[in-house]
Amino acid sequence: MTSVVRSLAARVAVASAPSRGSERKPPTAASRGRRIRGVRAMGYESNIPPTRGQPGRFGDGGGGLILPGDDRYDAGMVKGIPSPSNPGGKSGFDPRTGTGGPGQLPGGYEAPPKPGSEKDPNAAFAPFRPPSDFLDADDPQGFLKEDDQMSFLRLRNRAGMWYQLAPILPKLMRSGFLPDDIFDETGIEPREQSLWQTWTSTRGSLVEDPRFPDEKLEYFDDDYNGAPCLSHLQYLNKDERPPAAEFVVDQQFSPDQTKELVKAFEIRRAHDSQAKGFGTTPGEIMAFKMWRDVQEVQRYEGMERVNELVEKGKRYAESDSAVQRLEALRDAWAMDLAEGSDLMEGGLYAKAQADGKANISTVRLDPEELAFRPVPFLGPMESLSVEQVIAVQPVARTGVFNTFVPQGAKEWIAMPAWAALASAQIPFAILVSNTGKLSGAGDLSQREEPATLVVDKAANTPGPGNYYLVARESSIQLAGGKGAVVIDVYPGRECMDIERNGQGTVIGRVVLAVRAPGGTGDGMTTEFVA
């Protein structure tokens, strides 16, 4: 018998010694000394305090050390002891919250929550990790209604898909079975039990998300290739997970490839400022990761590694700009690793050659190429207002390149500096959707097509031989007794009569009608404004 065993036996013997109740006299100093010497004589150096035996709960006249497995062991007493997971010392399971049962941690978790868990949507870490509520979701197969023995039998025979069997595990844990107990009964290792619950949570988040197609869920039914991908997808937030999972299905990714995709999302979040030219789809994010990986290639790996990464990125890229950035980076590596006695010397030589071949195209403008005039565009003639016309200001062009500051209008149109346009002092342009609806625009009224009219605001005094834009009062009376204002084009002689009779106001002279690009030789000229 070892010293540890003898010490434990002595403690049990002392603790379980029968008491004589109130007749027992307090021990004297001599008797206490004899007791201690008796213990020391057995080879122990322990000062065991005297005990006062009380009538035991089991009627044996004393207390004693009660261990699990003893006939006197009562599990109900253990549940009543206050603890961090049972502060009030009540019975473990609380039916109101569903917490406190066997196999559960405080807060209702079946496993310690990871940082970034979505267990509580109101918590600061809500955006990450799918919630475990899917393990207690609908049970269309009725597996959760079966008794524990039937559940063990079902798990032992794997009679169902893994996501159908996974909710049985928390049910058994609430019944007091530990993962090792479940392993002994079913042969499903604790690690696989944990994976099932993780996969079910991630799969459940995809089932409830309308952005993920239901017909693609079957890819994750395979617990050897498809389902393990869910272990990595759980680390994406709720907005990234559906498109990433769909990309995994479309590309038939393995778990290792899915892990690389999740890493690509992390890199994109950390280096978003460098992702110019790359989109936000999973394919573009993978291409961006390849672009980043190319920059980390070591020289001894050579161009083979660079080409491998670039081609991989181009396979996933969905935009031309992403492909261009990948190819530009490959070209830069080709310069650095050009042929030569030494890689660095060869690279510098290649750079010098590239700089010698590079050039900036240089042209000299002809005066005709600067012969344009910016004109404020006031929109359709039907919605033209007097306020818009009043806001038009003359434009001053300065410098050798005719720079100007727009003012008086939100939209502008650049027109060639035709002679008719050059004669206008304060021009503005309006759009006529159908020239055939103009009342008196001469030959222009005979053609039904859109056109842009250029009007000179400064020439508002009518005269024969010109056409003018006029705002006149309609015969249709509006509420309040005033007529509607109608804007139309009239000949100069008619405009003189309109002003003399006080029937309207001349806005400006129509100096040019510009048609959209089309055929030639149809007789459409600017002669009517001469």
Side-chain angles (χ1 to χ4, degrees):
M1 181 181 295
T2 64
S3 60
V4 176
V5 176
R6 289 196 296 270
S7 177
L8 179 60
R11 291 174 183 267
V12 172
V14 172
S16 60
S19 64
R20 297 181 180 179
S22 59
E23 297 179 0
R24 182 175 180 177
K25 297 180 181 180
T28 63
S31 63
R32 186 182 300 112
R34 286 194 300 272
R35 181 175 299 163
I36 294 174
R37 284 194 297 274
V39 173
R40 288 177 178 174
M42 297 175 64
Y44 310 109
E45 297 294 331
S46 175
N47 294 329
I48 302 176
T51 60
R52 293 174 56 190
Q54 298 294 334
R57 176 181 178 184
F58 302 98
D60 57 357
L65 182 62
I66 302 175
L67 300 175
D70 196 314
D71 294 338
R72 298 175 297 172
Y73 179 76
D74 185 1
M77 296 178 62
V78 179
K79 291 183 179 180
I81 299 176
S83 65
S85 62
N86 192 16
K90 302 178 183 178
S91 178
F93 182 72
D94 188 349
R96 295 173 300 173
T97 62
T99 62
Q104 283 190 330
L105 297 178
Y109 291 94
E110 288 80 16
K114 298 179 181 179
S117 171
E118 286 180 345
K119 183 73 175 181
D120 182 5
N122 298 320
F125 45 71
F128 293 93
R129 194 190 181 198
S132 60
D133 298 339
F134 301 111
L135 293 170
D136 301 319
D138 295 338
D139 181 30
Q141 295 81 18
F143 292 170
L144 299 181
K145 299 177 182 178
E146 299 171 346
D147 58 28
D148 293 345
Q149 293 303 318
M150 186 63 191
S151 296
F152 281 131
L153 180 61
R154 186 174 297 280
L155 289 173
R156 189 179 304 119
N157 295 304
R158 296 180 182 260
M161 303 298 296
W162 62 262
Y163 56 85
Q164 298 171 345
L165 300 177
I168 300 178
L169 301 174
K171 179 181 82 77
L172 293 175
M173 292 180 184
R174 288 192 290 268
S175 298
F177 296 99
L178 298 177
D180 287 338
D181 301 330
I182 298 175
F183 169 64
D184 293 338
E185 293 289 339
T186 64
I188 302 176
E189 297 183 357
R191 179 180 180 277
E192 188 175 6
Q193 298 175 32
S194 177
L195 286 175
W196 278 9
Q197 298 184 63
T198 299
W199 297 347
T200 302
S201 300
T202 308
R203 183 182 183 277
S205 68
L206 297 176
V207 171
E208 290 197 347
D209 199 310
R211 293 170 293 183
F212 186 80
D214 294 338
E215 62 273 11
K216 296 185 178 181
L217 281 170
E218 62 180 358
Y219 180 76
F220 302 108
D221 292 351
D222 178 13
D223 54 356
Y224 291 99
N225 186 67
C229 298
L230 297 172
S231 296
H232 304 293
L233 292 174
Q234 68 166 326
Y235 295 107
L236 298 177
N237 62 45
K238 59 184 179 181
D239 294 325
E240 297 170 342
R241 194 179 302 129
E246 186 174 2
F247 186 77
V248 167
V249 176
D250 294 340
Q251 298 291 330
Q252 300 288 299
F253 269 8
S254 65
D256 290 339
Q257 290 174 308
T258 305
K259 182 179 181 181
E260 185 179 28
L261 175 63
V262 173
K263 182 65 176 178
F265 273 88
E266 296 174 357
I267 293 175
R268 177 57 187 265
R269 286 196 297 265
H271 303 280
D272 187 63
S273 60
Q274 300 179 9
K276 179 182 178 181
F278 293 93
T280 57
T281 61
E284 291 282 284
I285 291 175
M286 280 290 286
F288 176 68
K289 181 182 183 299
M290 298 303 106
W291 183 81
R292 290 270 310 172
D293 290 348
V294 171
Q295 300 181 62
E296 298 176 2
V297 172
Q298 301 298 318
R299 287 187 178 275
Y300 69 85
E301 297 180 87
M303 282 300 297
E304 293 184 1
R305 178 59 176 166
V306 173
N307 290 329
E308 177 187 350
L309 293 173
V310 169
E311 292 302 321
K312 185 176 180 180
K314 290 171 63 177
R315 186 166 65 249
Y316 296 127
E318 300 173 6
S319 64
D320 294 338
S321 58
V323 174
Q324 291 173 2
R325 293 207 69 183
L326 287 166
E327 292 180 344
L329 191 58
R330 175 166 57 186
D331 294 342
W333 269 97
M335 292 181 184
D336 291 339
L337 301 179
E339 294 183 0
S341 58
D342 184 80
L343 289 178
M344 179 61 70
E345 293 178 1
L348 294 175
Y349 177 70
K351 289 180 181 178
Q353 280 190 325
D355 292 341
K357 295 179 181 179
N359 64 82
I360 299 176
S361 299
T362 305
V363 297
R364 183 176 297 280
L365 290 173
D366 293 330
E368 293 80 8
E369 293 173 328
L370 281 176
F372 74 94
R373 184 168 186 180
V375 179
F377 181 73
L378 304 186
M381 186 179 69
E382 294 80 4
S383 59
L384 183 64
S385 64
V386 177
E387 291 76 10
Q388 289 178 291
V389 177
I390 294 175
V392 174
Q393 301 295 328
V395 178
R397 292 178 292 172
T398 59
V400 295
F401 294 104
N402 290 340
T403 58
F404 68 97
V405 179
Q407 55 183 351
K410 295 182 179 180
E411 296 180 283
W412 291 73
I413 183 172
M415 291 187 171
W418 293 307
L421 182 58
S423 64
Q425 299 180 21
I426 310 177
F428 65 86
I430 58 174
L431 176 64
V432 178
S433 58
N434 186 359
T435 57
K437 295 182 179 181
L438 297 176
S439 298
D443 293 340
L444 189 60
S445 299
Q446 306 300 320
R447 302 177 181 274
E448 295 187 355
E449 62 178 339
T452 297
L453 299 185
V454 179
V455 182
D456 185 7
K457 171 186 172 182
N460 55 7
T461 300
N466 294 308
Y467 288 84
Y468 295 87
L469 191 66
V470 179
R472 60 184 305 183
E473 186 175 339
S474 173
S475 59
I476 301 177
Q477 297 294 318
L478 300 178
K482 292 185 178 180
V485 176
V486 177
I487 297 178
D488 208 337
V489 176
Y490 297 95
R493 184 58 183 269
E494 187 174 346
C495 291
M496 297 172 64
D497 296 336
I498 292 174
E499 277 201 334
R500 185 172 56 252
N501 298 329
Q503 296 176 344
T505 302
V506 175
I507 297 176
R509 180 172 65 93
V510 179
V511 297
L512 189 63
V514 182
R515 302 168 60 197
T520 58
D522 54 3
M524 189 64 179
T525 65
T526 59
E527 294 179 356
F528 74 99
V529 297

